Amino acid sequence: MHPVLKLVAQRLALGILLLFAASILIFAGTQILPGDVAQSILGQSATPEALANLRKELGLDEPAISRYFSWLGNALQGDLGTALTNGQEITKSLGSRLKNTLFLAFWAAVVAVPLAIFLGLLAVRYRERWPDKLISAVTLASISVPEFLIGYVLMFYVGVKLGWAPTVATIYDSMSLGQKLNAIALPVAVLTMVVLAHMMRMTRAAILNVMQSAYIETAELKGLTSFQVIYRHAFPNAVAPVVNVVMLNLAYLVVGVVVVEVVFVYPGMGQYLVDHVSKRDVPVVQACGLIFAAVYIGLNMIADIVSILANPRLRHPK
Amino acid sequence: MSKELEFLSKRVAQSKMSRRDFMGRASALGVSSAAATAMLSTAAMAEGPKKGGMIKLGMNGGASTDTLDPGLVASQATQNALRHWSDTLVNASPTGELDMRIAESIDSSPDAKTWHFNIRQGVEFHNGKTVTAEDAMKTIERHSNEESKSGALGIVKGIESMAVSGNTLSITLDTPNADLPYLLADYHLAIQPNGGMDDPNAGIGTGPFTVEVNEPGIRYGFKKFANHWDESIGHVDESELLIINDATARMAALQSGQVHMVNGVDPKVAGLLDRAPGLSVKNVSGRGHYVFIMHTDTAPFDNKDLRLALKYAINREEMVDKILRGYGGVGNDMPINASYPLFDDSIPQRAYDPEKAAEHYKASGHDGSPIILRVADAAFPGAVDAAQLFQQSAAAAGIPLEIKREPNDGYWSEVWNKQPFCASYWGGRPVQDQMYSTAYLSTADWNDTRFNNAKFDELLGQAKAELDPAKRKALYSQMGNIVRDDGGVICPMFNDFIDAVSDKVAGFEPDPNGEMMANFAPSRVWLA
């Protein structure tokens, strides 16, 4: 077997094992939380009688272990079940939420990744001079401010004062692509500012590291412009750590944007998950948790594989 | 000058002149913008409702876990959605009278035990079916039968039997209740075809709007129902309800014009928001109240002197000023205020009195160990701050309070109604009987102060069967005094409902029954 294929197979198997472990952790976590789904649905006004009726209907009177295994059995067959709280099919409602989350993450990545890499290259080109310092200062400042605050500030100035973009980013199927992009303008801006610094700094550091090498000197000596040197010779050799960071940030864009979703009322997975955690709706929490874990594991796997492929020493191990 | 402006304001109301032009003319004539805005809204009211357009609401209290089943509706946005598409037998009007809806008239036996509801003729469900007395009976049955998980179970479980003859639904109760019609105004008891027995989540009702979009936790879309029986309501063609749980985002959505009305304005920002152009803050004192509750059967709170000591040790005015920023009224250690019908305003107001508090504290013989008060902001907004104010004012009377912060998550299942002393909130009820029967009767499910007073229970039973308002008022007054002096509830304040409404909306009249005109705003306002 080709060593690369073997590697991918190994990683995949490990990933599935990790997912299984994650599902156990999530289930255990939801069991530890105080209260249960019946109590949360009926709220303060629940009578013991109504509670007992609801628990029975939802099958909560069965022991936790047997509930876990019956869930696992169905999940392995692709059936994530129905939400305990509103009886909707999880696959269906989760599907549209996941689509929205990926939509937001995609557009944020489309803006942020090229911008970060370009700014990183620019910073190297003008290192230790004012463009480098300005780029670093701005991106570091924006990563240091909590994202909800950036959200509120943009909302107030861009949304309320200037009226350039809507403050509520609710999107739905009947909207055209243009309307959707207009709606998500502010959350994309916030997410871009949050993930920019990490990727930009990594690009800068990785390339500067390579710039010390002898072949860069050669490239300079043969008369290439400094940007060509960076772009053609330094960047390909620095790509592994950059891809790693980009993947980490992409994973963040999918799994870590709960706060931005809440602030901009964006109907994505994060909000969906939080709603169901607070209602103790275990099947939905499990399903969301699995998807988040899968995205995280998957993107990290891609990062690993890309960095191995990009490095001949790792590609052809002795 | 005023004649000219009056004329112009009418032109604006008839859309013959733009708002902006009007404001410009008004300021040229030296009229302040606040006065000019007030003139505009008066003119809009006088002009009468304008038909058409789409109204947009931004509300908190919605989650992706919500259903359309009226029995499971609990939070703000879902209540509002429910009021869009459904009607109840009767409503409670802003002034506390009965407003006949699906029931056309009501009468009862002299002992208030058997009630007859005559069902309005020719009312149509959204699916084209005509409402019958049978539908009404099935609705109440679904909420009260053995499998019921309805939030209204506590309200309707005292029903002994129901019968239908022709257009009349007759209800016989276990024990008399003069307030039964008010109880049936509860939003859970929305009339559904066959009582919702076939599909409680169908969203088919008799309300002024039909459900077009149902995306729980995101938005609801409604269209005006052409065949609604009451032509005096439902002015806009469409209504959209966006769930915006984040308070700052909600206010920004109103300010940037993405929605016309928002609920749940934080008292901390209400004053600032009111100064923003193009909108106004609407507040109304309601029946909801913030409380600290003691279990009267658990030491040390089983001691009446200690309870009185704590009641004298709280500074109610300070709390209304600092926690509610003036958007509310002081409480009097009972769950009733002037918003209730038959309220006796001669009951003396209890005030902060550290000396009396110290006296009662001494008389209680408490050993001086700190009294643990459990709080979380889930109890009510500002609960932790309120507890700290309480701690300070009690310390001045020599009473040591220890605040224990609890997590918001799980507060209602783990702390409230379980721990002997904690912060809590009550939304209030349309009538006194319901409030007392829900939470102060010794056998009530939600008796969260473990109050057990035989005299009180007896008076409550008497008042239920008493149809003469003057005599009932006297009975309620006695009951109020008993709870105030002997009960386990420390009630420092009644909070206002605070909404904010764009100037583009006319006809918004706050209703003490709840926020958003008791959630009837979408069917009663119009776009000016």
Side-chain angles (χ1 to χ4, degrees):
Chain A
M1 204 196 226
H2 194 277
V4 173
L5 275 181
K6 198 175 152 200
L7 178 93
V8 172
Q10 263 177 0
R11 291 292 162 124
L12 269 177
L14 268 175
I16 289 167
L17 206 64
L18 266 176
L19 277 182
F20 182 69
S23 82
I24 294 178
L25 276 180
I26 299 163
F27 189 82
T30 50
Q31 294 305 311
I32 296 168
L33 289 171
D36 73 348
V37 62
Q39 181 85 47
S40 327
I41 292 176
L42 298 176
Q44 186 198 6
S45 56
T47 60
E49 206 178 339
L51 274 177
N53 284 340
L54 189 59
R55 283 200 183 113
K56 209 166 150 201
E57 190 187 308
L58 298 175
L60 293 177
D61 42 358
E62 282 178 46
I65 305 254
S66 75
R67 267 184 289 142
Y68 175 75
F69 280 105
S70 71
W71 170 83
L72 187 67
N74 289 331
L76 288 177
Q77 296 164 38
D79 174 16
L80 293 171
T82 51
L84 296 179
T85 41
N86 57 5
Q88 290 194 348
E89 226 177 287
I90 294 174
T91 331
K92 210 174 122 221
S93 41
L94 192 61
S96 72
R97 294 296 189 124
L98 180 63
K99 208 175 74 191
N100 287 346
T101 290
L102 294 179
F103 182 75
L104 182 63
F106 173 77
W107 286 105
V110 163
V111 177
V113 174
L115 189 64
I117 291 175
F118 174 71
L119 289 178
L121 297 181
L122 207 64
V124 173
R125 168 71 184 77
Y126 297 104
R127 66 175 173 276
E128 302 303 332
R129 289 171 37 204
W130 69 264
D132 180 25
K133 286 183 178 153
L134 182 72
I135 292 169
S136 286
V138 170
T139 52
L140 284 177
S142 72
I143 202 179
S144 311
V145 179
E147 57 210 80
F148 72 89
L149 186 67
I150 304 181
Y152 286 154
V153 169
L154 283 185
M155 200 184 265
F156 184 70
Y157 286 103
V158 182
V160 175
K161 289 280 164 197
L162 297 170
W164 288 351
T167 56
V168 174
T170 307
I171 62 166
Y172 34 88
D173 289 342
S174 54
M175 286 172 122
S176 69
L177 181 65
Q179 283 171 322
K180 281 186 184 174
L181 289 180
N182 181 37
I184 63 167
L186 288 184
V188 164
V190 173
L191 289 176
T192 302
M193 288 168 82
V194 171
V195 296
L196 203 57
H198 196 185
M199 290 190 285
M200 188 289 276
R201 297 286 296 180
M202 198 48 145
T203 310
R204 182 181 176 276
I207 292 178
L208 280 181
N209 197 21
V210 175
M211 293 296 270
Q212 320 290 333
S213 323
Y215 61 84
I216 297 292
E217 208 172 335
T218 314
E220 274 169 14
L221 288 175
K222 74 183 182 193
L224 293 182
T225 66
S226 54
F227 213 81
Q228 273 175 319
V229 171
I230 295 169
Y231 187 71
R232 299 190 58 107
H233 294 276
F235 186 66
N237 287 298
V239 84
V242 174
V243 167
N244 248 316
V245 162
V246 167
M247 288 301 160
L248 268 182
N249 279 291
L250 286 186
Y252 171 82
L253 285 178
V254 176
V255 308
V257 298
V258 179
V259 175
V260 173
E261 282 182 10
V262 171
V263 166
F264 289 103
V265 203
Y266 187 78
M269 289 264 290
Q271 182 64 59
Y272 185 73
L273 174 64
V274 170
D275 281 351
H276 287 83
V277 169
S278 64
K279 288 273 164 66
R280 312 284 183 263
D281 195 334
V282 181
V284 181
V285 176
Q286 291 273 58
C288 290
L290 273 194
I291 288 177
F292 282 154
V295 166
Y296 213 82
I297 294 169
L299 286 173
N300 272 297
M301 201 161 72
I302 292 173
D304 280 357
I305 293 169
V306 167
S307 55
I308 288 170
L309 292 182
N311 189 331
R313 272 167 299 183
L314 291 175
R315 205 160 53 206
H316 305 289
K318 277 181 196 160
Chain B
M1 173 197 96
S2 67
K3 273 246 170 73
E4 185 187 345
L5 266 187
E6 221 167 83
F7 167 74
L8 291 177
S9 68
K10 274 186 198 139
R11 306 249 319 156
V12 177
Q14 293 157 351
S15 335
K16 285 174 186 157
M17 180 182 185
S18 83
R19 222 191 115 71
R20 184 180 290 251
D21 287 344
F22 173 78
M23 297 304 271
R25 297 264 192 108
S27 70
L29 287 166
V31 175
S32 76
S33 71
T37 309
M39 276 192 90
L40 271 187
S41 66
T42 320
M45 285 303 275
E47 196 61 27
K50 234 170 61 177
K51 302 282 174 184
M54 180 172 185
I55 190 115
K56 292 186 175 189
L57 291 83
M59 294 185 73
N60 66 354
S64 39
T65 46
D66 294 329
T67 62
L68 284 178
D69 180 353
L72 297 181
V73 162
S75 53
Q76 296 90 326
T78 49
Q79 283 182 31
N80 193 283
L82 178 61
R83 290 295 197 190
H84 272 88
W85 64 265
S86 71
D87 278 315
T88 41
L89 284 174
V90 291
N91 284 342
S93 78
T95 44
E97 282 113 43
L98 284 177
D99 176 13
M100 295 298 150
R101 306 312 288 173
I102 299 300
E104 200 169 33
S105 62
I106 301 177
D107 57 319
S108 79
S109 62
D111 61 354
K113 221 179 146 184
T114 306
W115 289 82
H116 307 286
F117 296 85
N118 297 312
I119 303 301
R120 196 180 290 277
Q121 290 303 289
V123 176
E124 203 180 296
F125 283 116
H126 300 156
N127 62 4
K129 242 189 105 231
T130 308
V131 178
T132 61
E134 193 78 18
D135 292 317
M137 183 172 87
K138 289 279 186 192
T139 297
I140 297 175
E141 197 186 311
R142 187 172 78 84
H143 291 272
S144 60
N145 66 18
E146 277 178 6
E147 296 102 65
S148 168
K149 49 195 188 196
S150 166
L153 181 58
I155 293 172
V156 288
K157 71 176 173 189
I159 292 174
E160 193 180 275
S161 66
M162 287 189 285
V164 166
S165 78
N167 300 324
T168 308
L169 164 66
S170 303
I171 299 178
T172 309
L173 301 170
D174 296 340
T175 50
N177 191 340
D179 279 332
L180 181 72
Y182 284 99
L183 299 189
L184 298 183
D186 188 274
Y187 58 83
H188 295 105
L189 300 173
I191 306 295
Q192 292 176 282
N194 195 26
M197 299 265 192
D198 311 323
D199 180 8
N201 294 313
I204 301 287
T206 62
F209 295 95
T210 55
V211 181
E212 299 295 320
V213 181
N214 171 31
E215 294 176 17
I218 305 172
R219 64 178 190 131
Y220 296 93
F222 303 95
K223 249 201 183 95
K224 187 171 156 47
F225 177 45
N227 295 343
H228 190 247
W229 59 275
D230 184 356
E231 289 188 353
S232 67
I233 60 169
H235 307 303
V236 293
D237 290 337
E238 283 178 273
S239 169
E240 185 175 54
L241 171 55
L242 289 179
I243 314 298
I244 312 179
N245 286 317
D246 185 82
T248 314
R250 209 159 56 244
M251 302 309 130
L254 177 69
Q255 285 177 276
S256 65
Q258 279 188 284
V259 296
H260 295 116
M261 306 191 269
V262 293
N263 74 329
V265 178
D266 188 337
K268 280 183 211 138
V269 303
L272 288 170
L273 188 67
D274 204 18
R275 272 186 258 150
L279 58 91
S280 54
V281 167
K282 308 267 186 187
N283 62 307
V284 61
S285 67
R287 299 171 188 140
H289 45 287
Y290 297 169
V291 289
F292 296 102
I293 48 175
M294 309 175 273
H295 284 179
T296 56
D297 63 350
T298 311
F301 310 104
D302 53 354
N303 183 317
K304 188 180 169 183
D305 274 303
L306 186 86
R307 294 202 294 272
L308 275 173
L310 288 168
K311 286 176 184 177
Y312 279 113
I314 197 164
N315 190 339
R316 294 168 185 76
E317 264 91 22
E318 187 186 30
M319 289 215 182
V320 171
D321 279 354
K322 292 188 176 155
I323 305 295
L324 297 176
R325 310 278 168 142
Y327 288 95
V330 290
N332 197 16
D333 298 337
M334 54 185 197
I336 306 299
N337 67 353
S339 306
Y340 279 89
L342 305 177
F343 172 71
D344 178 11
D345 51 17
S346 66
I347 300 175
Q349 172 65 48
R350 180 167 287 138
Y352 176 47
D353 190 337
E355 275 161 38
K356 262 195 182 153
E359 230 170 77
H360 283 289
Y361 183 64
K362 223 177 132 200
S364 77
H366 187 67
D367 59 8
S369 60
I371 298 168
I372 293 172
L373 171 59
R374 289 168 201 268
V375 287
D377 274 322
F380 56 85
V384 176
D385 299 340
Q388 279 160 353
L389 289 176
F390 190 11
Q391 188 182 35
Q392 294 299 318
S393 61
I399 305 174
L401 280 187
E402 184 184 321
I403 298 172
K404 193 150 187 275
R405 266 196 90 154
E406 298 282 347
N408 281 334
D409 195 44
Y411 188 80
W412 298 112
S413 51
E414 301 299 305
V415 179
W416 175 77
N417 218 356
K418 291 219 164 71
Q419 297 294 342
F421 190 26
C422 71
S424 178
Y425 170 71
W426 274 99
R429 294 293 184 274
V431 285
Q432 298 197 34
D433 172 68
Q434 199 188 347
M435 189 65 235
Y436 284 135
S437 310
T438 308
Y440 294 88
L441 183 68
S442 59
T443 53
D445 284 324
W446 312 326
N447 181 358
D448 60 4
T449 53
R450 307 283 188 272
F451 188 53
N452 191 346
N453 185 310
K455 174 82 179 152
F456 177 88
D457 287 3
E458 189 196 319
L459 289 171
L460 187 62
Q462 270 181 41
K464 271 180 196 289
E466 182 58 68
L467 287 165
D468 176 10
K471 286 185 188 154
R472 287 182 84 195
K473 187 172 172 180
L475 291 169
Y476 284 140
S477 171
Q478 282 188 52
M479 286 156 60
N481 271 307
I482 292 175
V483 172
R484 176 181 175 272
D485 296 332
D486 194 33
V489 62
I490 303 171
C491 174
M493 51 196 153
F494 281 79
N495 62 305
D496 280 4
F497 296 112
I498 316 177
D499 300 321
V501 178
S502 153
D503 289 347
K504 294 192 180 108
V505 173
F508 194 99
E509 299 286 327
D511 183 330
N513 288 309
E515 57 191 1
M516 286 281 170
M517 303 173 67
N519 284 323
F520 292 116
S523 56
R524 300 203 180 148
V525 301
W526 60 93
L527 292 167

